[in-house]
Structure formats: C-alpha cells, structure tokens
Amino acid sequence: MARRAAAPAGPVGDDFSFVSPVAKYVLFFFNLLFWMISMGMVAVGVYARLLKHAEAAMACLAVDPAILLIMVGVLTFLITFCGCVGSLRENICLLQMFSVCLTVVFLLQLAAGVLGFVFSDKARGKVSEIINGAIVHYRDDLDLQNLIDFGQKEFSCCGGVSYKDWSQNMYFNCTATNPSRERCSVPFSCCLHDASQAVINTMCGHGMQARGYLEASAFIHTNGCIDKLVNWTHSNLFLLGGITVGLALPQV
C-alpha cells in the first residue's frame, strides 16, 4: 500500500516568510530611528543655511558646518530609507542596496582610520590645511566662527600652529596697510579665562600678534590647536577606540 505524501509543516501563502520576525522588526526600528535622526539633521542644516546672509551663503562651502550637516543627513537618510522600507516590505533590491551602501561606508571608515594611523604626518598636514582655511573664513560664517571659538576655548589654544596664524585672516592681518580695527589682534576665545570676571572682554586679544610669545602668554594662549588636538588624541586613544567600536558594531 502506497504511503501518502507528508503534508507541509505550515501554511505557505502570500503572507508566509522565511525571515525571522524578530530580525525583521529590529532592523526596521533601528533604521527608522536613524531615518528620523537624519531628517532632523537635514532640517537643522537647511534652517541654519537659510538664516545666513546672501554673501555668506556663497563663502567657503567646503568648511560650512551647515553644508556638512546636510550632506551627512542626506546620505544617512538614503541609506536608512533602503534599510527601513526594505526590511518592512522584505524587498530584496532595497536590502541589497542597503547592505552594499553600509559595507562601503564601513570600509571607508576602516580605510580612513588605517590611513590616518599609517600616514599620520600627511593627516596632520591635512588637518592643518583645514584649520588654516577655517581661520581665513572666520568672519564669513557665524557657524564656523562659533565652532572655532568653541574649539579654542575647550583646548586652550589659539590658531593652527601658533597665535600668529590669525594674521592669515584679512581682519586680523598684521600688515601696516590693514585698515581693520582688529589689526594684529586675535579672537577673544584665545584669551586666558579669568574666573572672577563676570563679563567677557571681547577686546582682550587686541594687538597680541605684535607681542612676543613670552609677553603674549600672560594674556592669551599662544600654543596652536593642532598640537593640542594631537596630544588630546594620543591621551584618549582608548576612548576614541571605544567610540569607533561602538559605531562599527551596529553597522556590522
């Protein structure tokens, strides 16, 4: 007597899926979270960009924090959109695109870390170039100005290599032909902090570039931010490594 064929273990229909619901919805909510964050980044970047004057909107786009925020937000939005919709709809095309994009981003981060460690001198030169470019456009962009002031206050530094780097800025230039009232000065964020001073003296850096290192050090920070940044990086390698691993694990 012939045996009857075994019945399938479960119903196979349009709603059947071989994908684990746990993995599916974890991936969906994880991407949904970063999708919403990316939309917030783009919104903040566009809002900050629209608040600027027309002449400032065309100045030094490469170092504009608002532009960088928009670019990172748009990239994150596109990647997480593929992951969010692809996981919810189990769309193979979107999931493959999400996987490829995330792999490329992960490899670029890994390559940047390795190259930055191997070619540390060139990386230092690139950082110096970026800082000098930011100094030149200090007065052109309020966001950039606030960012530089924050960095100089936090790291207790002034300029790139030294406080005299501020002569690269047209307003702080130390040449005799400069008509600016800020000639030979440095921003107030270079000044030594006085805890007893209730009101910040924004003119405390006036004429400091005309003074020598020893004389100026009584009023401002004379060391550059590049050395301070390198020293901070070396002393916080474990912290930076932990942050890197924390960012890499979700991508993996």
Side-chain angles (χ1 to χ4, degrees), residues 88-103:
L88 184 63
R89 303 297 300 174
E90 297 184 21
N91 188 300
I92 300 300
C93 181
L94 288 177
L95 286 175
Q96 287 178 340
M97 188 179 298
F98 170 73
S99 178
V100 169
C101 291
L102 207 60
T103 302

Side-chain angles (χ1 to χ4, degrees), residues 166-242:
W166 280 102
S167 194
Q168 299 176 61
N169 186 281
M170 61 181 297
Y171 298 99
F172 299 106
N173 189 278
C174 216
T175 56
T177 56
N178 184 12
S180 172
R181 293 184 178 181
E182 295 181 304
R183 187 178 77 86
C184 266
S185 301
V186 295
F188 74 93
S189 55
C190 290
C191 298
L192 298 176
H193 178 67
D194 186 2
S196 62
Q197 191 176 22
V199 180
I200 297 176
N201 179 17
T202 57
M203 296 299 293
C204 58
H206 184 73
M208 289 298 162
Q209 290 187 61
R211 304 189 181 191
Y213 279 85
L214 195 60
E215 186 181 2
S217 62
F219 304 95
I220 64 171
H221 300 289
T222 53
N223 293 326
C225 294
I226 296 176
D227 289 333
K228 289 285 184 128
L229 183 60
V230 170
N231 293 336
W232 182 87
T233 303
H234 288 165
S235 60
N236 292 274
L237 285 177
F238 289 107
L239 175 62
L240 294 175

Side-chain angles (χ1 to χ4, degrees), residues 47-64:
Y47 178 73
R49 196 67 190 161
L50 293 176
L51 285 179
K52 297 178 183 179
H53 299 292
E55 61 272 13
M58 299 302 295
C60 196
L61 297 180
V63 294
D64 188 348

